[in-house]
Amino acid sequence: MTAAYDSARQVFADWSVDSEAAIARLAEVAISIHCWQGDDVAGFEKRGAAVGGGIQSTGDHPGRARNPGELRADFEFALGNIPGTHRMNLHAMYLDTEAAPDRDEIEYEHFIPWVDWARGLGIGLDFNPTFFGHPKAADNLTLSHPDAGIRDFWIEHGRRTREIAAQIGRALGSAAVNNIWVPDGFKDIPVDRMAARARLEAALDEMCAPPQDAAEMLDAVESKLFGIGVEACTVGSHEFYLGYAIRKGTLLCLDMGHFHPTENIADKLSAVTLSLDEILLHVSRPMRWDSDHVILLDDAILAMGQELVFADLLGKTRIGLDFFDATISRTAAWIIGTRNMQKALLRALLLPRAALQEAEARFDFTARLAMTEEAKDLPFGAVWAEFCARQDVPEGRTLIAEMDRYQSSVADRG
Ligand code: RNT
Ligand code: ZN
């Protein structure tokens, strides 16, 4: 134990906060780290790269992972610099096979190398159908397309991903969340929103009809406000999926970039979890739009961390990340973004929650304000450094040098 941590521990104890308990709780939080930061959301289909659907990665920093082997090596490097044990969130387009199945032909065997790798590392996997970057998604309509043939193609894709996710969960002994996001929407103002939403609902029902064991896989549905090319209307809006998740018992995925820019996503957690058993987060940083910047330790993330802790939601929330920046080292992006999520949780765990909630209960808003503001000067950094040391990962300048060294080693990838 360093002198800095010892002194910090006493400062927190004076506030009646147990820093050892905070460290222990943080170590239990597994974050689902998205694979797609490593290769700019391109995927490994032999049919070609898969961006589209209103999402895009910008930048051409050297070092993009070009194949599953490189992505795994990069991810392992990132994991080695993130304290704790985490998960990888895989998209269906990241299959690892010499075969070239179309989206409605994918099988579990195409993902076995990922499962073997995850088992070796002792990490869990999550999964996602890929409803974008494909000729049959060219109209920005998939499950809600008016053409039944196109809907059936995507229903089959989704069914297969649920089956694959269940097999992954079974193989690893840890339920895989299978998160459904479709890009469906309209560039200009539609006159029949109802028909599109009714088609989406029916297609989701058909796709999710085969029962799956909740110990192996869990369905999640992700809403969105708008995307490039679908500015006027998104079929799978927040209200659509909130209702759907409540009625069907799926997880609801809240992506922090999928709302109006001034909305406080943390505020939504207590509201939706009163009606849902579990939720999924896509922690992201929208900058004026759903830009998916690397998450900072900013007010939005701190608020999210605080809400998860203060509302006792860590047990019913799967924390997933969703950002992609190709203008910087992709491995550094993973490391910095994930650590910021953890730092936000740690800060929340180190706040004098009981005293704050008591002050609020007795309407003493002066005491509440005084505490939140004085608490901003508490020595969180010393506790974070201690956590990193105990988890055997670097921090500060050593971390920066490590990230630099790795980036140099991948910079000559073509
Ligand atoms: C798109 C959604 C979705 C994707 C991933 C790649 O706006 O946020 O989660 O980012 O499926
Ligand atoms: Zn998302």
Side-chain angles (χ1 to χ4, degrees):
M1 188 184 300
T2 61
Y5 174 66
D6 197 36
S7 134
R9 192 166 55 111
Q10 285 172 36
V11 173
F12 284 107
D14 285 347
W15 283 74
S16 302
V17 172
D18 180 352
S19 61
E20 285 298 312
I23 287 176
R25 186 68 189 93
L26 184 61
E28 291 169 357
V29 179
I31 295 178
S32 185
I33 307 173
H34 53 311
C35 71
W36 52 92
Q37 164 61 62
D39 78 324
D40 313 341
V41 210
F44 302 129
E45 289 174 310
K46 297 284 181 277
R47 298 162 169 263
V51 275
I55 53 175
Q56 66 182 71
S57 163
T58 48
D60 60 356
H61 202 73
R64 185 179 78 80
R66 295 162 299 183
N67 53 58
E70 289 180 350
L71 191 63
R72 285 193 277 268
D74 293 354
F75 198 81
E76 283 181 44
F77 169 72
L79 282 183
N81 290 280
I82 298 167
T85 304
H86 302 286
R87 306 170 65 84
M88 183 197 244
N89 188 12
L90 212 51
H91 235 284
M93 65 179 169
Y94 287 80
L95 71 186
D96 185 357
T97 173
E98 283 314 307
D102 204 345
R103 300 268 172 92
D104 62 342
E105 297 166 334
I106 53 168
E107 310 260 5
Y108 174 63
E109 63 172 53
H110 302 136
F111 297 89
I112 289 177
W114 286 108
V115 175
D116 290 342
W117 168 76
R119 189 186 290 111
L121 290 179
I123 65 170
L125 293 177
D126 294 306
F127 205 59
N128 306 256
T130 309
F131 289 102
F132 52 87
H134 187 280
K136 287 197 166 69
D139 296 326
N140 277 330
L141 292 169
T142 61
L143 291 177
S144 72
H145 203 289
D147 180 332
I150 294 190
R151 290 201 303 280
D152 286 346
F153 173 85
W154 290 112
I155 289 168
E156 181 61 24
H157 174 62
R159 281 189 176 218
R160 283 172 183 252
T161 63
R162 295 180 71 250
E163 179 60 36
I164 293 165
Q167 286 182 264
I168 290 174
R170 195 178 314 152
L172 295 175
S174 168
V177 175
N178 192 47
N179 179 53
I180 301 163
W181 173 72
V182 298
D184 297 36
F186 300 95
K187 180 173 180 70
D188 216 336
I189 303 162
V191 294
D192 201 350
R193 295 163 194 263
M194 181 61 97
R197 291 200 164 117
R199 285 193 297 266
L200 178 56
E201 162 120 358
L204 286 167
D205 283 352
E206 222 181 305
M207 190 178 116
C208 298
Q212 299 289 351
D213 184 345
E216 297 176 350
M217 77 80 67
L218 296 161
D219 294 295
V221 289
E222 181 178 0
S223 69
K224 187 162 174 168
L225 178 63
F226 84 100
I228 303 265
V230 293
E231 291 84 354
C233 169
T234 292
V235 184
S237 59
H238 178 54
E239 293 76 5
F240 175 90
Y241 280 127
L242 178 60
Y244 193 84
I246 292 170
R247 284 181 290 122
K248 311 286 172 167
T250 71
L251 277 70
L252 177 72
C253 174
L254 298 176
D255 183 309
M256 292 178 70
H258 289 192
F259 295 87
H260 282 283
T262 58
E263 283 191 78
N264 174 1
I265 316 308
D267 175 70
K268 300 177 188 299
L269 304 190
S270 52
V272 302
T273 50
L274 281 174
S275 298
L276 293 164
D277 292 337
E278 269 194 285
I279 58 168
L280 170 67
L281 295 181
H282 271 189
V283 181
S284 193
R285 178 163 56 105
M287 201 181 277
R288 306 186 191 283
W289 70 292
D290 182 33
S291 61
D292 290 297
H293 280 75
V294 178
I295 60 180
L296 305 180
L297 190 58
D298 62 8
D299 287 350
I301 302 303
L302 289 167
M304 189 57 92
Q306 183 171 324
E307 202 54 31
L308 287 167
V309 171
F310 280 31
D312 282 324
L313 291 172
L314 283 174
K316 57 192 302 188
T317 307
R318 313 266 169 157
I319 304 176
L321 308 180
D322 188 4
F323 53 78
F324 31 96
D325 187 340
T327 68
I328 57 176
S329 160
R330 292 165 186 80
T331 46
W334 263 327
I335 294 166
I336 294 165
T338 309
R339 288 168 63 114
N340 278 337
M341 184 68 239
Q342 293 180 289
K343 288 183 186 182
L345 291 172
L346 179 62
R347 287 198 181 211
L349 290 163
L350 289 169
L351 287 177
R353 173 184 168 186
L356 284 162
Q357 291 181 339
E358 277 159 28
E360 184 167 287
R362 60 172 194 272
F363 277 63
D364 190 346
F365 302 140
T366 311
R368 185 184 63 187
L369 182 66
M371 279 189 275
T372 59
E373 300 319 289
E374 283 302 298
K376 286 177 180 168
D377 296 324
L378 291 176
F380 302 106
V383 183
W384 172 255
E386 177 70 14
F387 180 59
C388 288
R390 291 189 196 176
Q391 296 281 336
D392 208 21
V393 303
E395 44 106 22
R397 292 166 49 124
T398 319
L399 172 68
I400 294 169
E402 243 324 81
M403 295 193 299
D404 248 17
R405 182 194 61 73
Y406 191 82
Q407 175 57 30
S408 307
S409 77
V410 300
D412 61 355
R413 288 178 185 166

